[in-house]
Amino acid sequence: MSRYQCDTCGGTCDPGELVGGVCAECRQEDARRTERILWMGREVKEQGDGQMVLEVANGA
């Protein structure tokens, strides 16, 4: 029996659950992350390590 693993989280999945090598949970998290970024606008940037950073304008 073959093992199917998500390319993102490494979790074991059913054969029909993977889409492009990514499980449903990881696809949902990616969609939520994209939605948060769009909601916050250009004030949010992603660093090279994947961490999200909120840029705050200096009120001085």
Side-chain angles (χ1 to χ4, degrees), residues 4-30:
Y4 295 89
Q5 277 188 300
C6 174
D7 292 340
T8 302
C9 69
T12 303
C13 305
D14 291 331
E17 187 176 350
L18 295 175
V19 174
V22 180
C23 70
E25 290 83 8
C26 289
R27 290 192 313 274
Q28 287 175 342
E29 179 56 34
D30 185 50

Side-chain angles (χ1 to χ4, degrees), residues 32-48:
R32 286 190 295 266
R33 182 178 180 186
T34 300
E35 185 177 314
R36 285 191 301 266
I37 291 169
L38 293 173
W39 180 75
M40 295 183 83
R42 295 177 187 237
E43 297 173 2
V44 176
K45 300 221 174 172
E46 185 173 356
Q47 296 181 157

